Amino acid sequence: MTDDAYGATVAKRRLSRVLVAMRVRAGLNVNEAADKLGWRRGRLNRLEANDWRLPEGSFVRDLARIYGASSEKTAELEDLTRRASARP
């Protein structure tokens, strides 16, 4: 595995962990967060369990919005999304 692929894997794992922490900090459970976005519960479960192919930037931005993320935190999430989507 190349360094770029490893970096994408680590970024994807970190992104999932950060999203879980943000949801908990916002005081929402998985069902409440999914309902706010009109998502099926499985989508958010897969995102948080790092069981997804590539992160969708729009999904991450929607989650940042409902979790009340600052602009700096949103920029960090977008950077992680970009790095997680990198193809070697």
Side-chain angles (χ1 to χ4, degrees):
M1 184 179 285
T2 67
D3 287 343
D4 289 340
Y6 181 75
T9 301
V10 170
K12 195 172 144 210
R13 284 183 192 151
R14 177 159 167 65
L15 181 59
S16 291
R17 284 194 314 262
V18 169
L19 290 173
V20 170
M22 289 176 65
R23 178 182 52 76
V24 169
R25 212 168 312 136
L28 298 170
N29 64 38
V30 173
N31 293 339
E32 292 168 335
D35 288 345
K36 279 187 173 225
L37 293 170
W39 290 1
R40 293 186 178 179
R41 284 148 183 81
R43 177 184 289 175
L44 187 52
N45 281 330
R46 284 190 304 278
L47 292 174
E48 290 186 354
N50 192 26
D51 187 22
W52 48 340
R53 272 194 169 296
L54 294 175
E56 287 283 333
S58 62
F59 293 171
V60 174
R61 281 189 299 275
D62 288 343
L63 289 168
R65 181 179 45 82
I66 68 163
Y67 296 159
S70 66
S71 57
E72 294 83 19
K73 191 64 167 180
T74 301
E76 176 189 337
L77 293 172
E78 289 175 348
D79 180 55
L80 281 171
T81 303
R82 249 186 321 279
R83 290 189 345 214
S85 299
R87 304 229 60 145

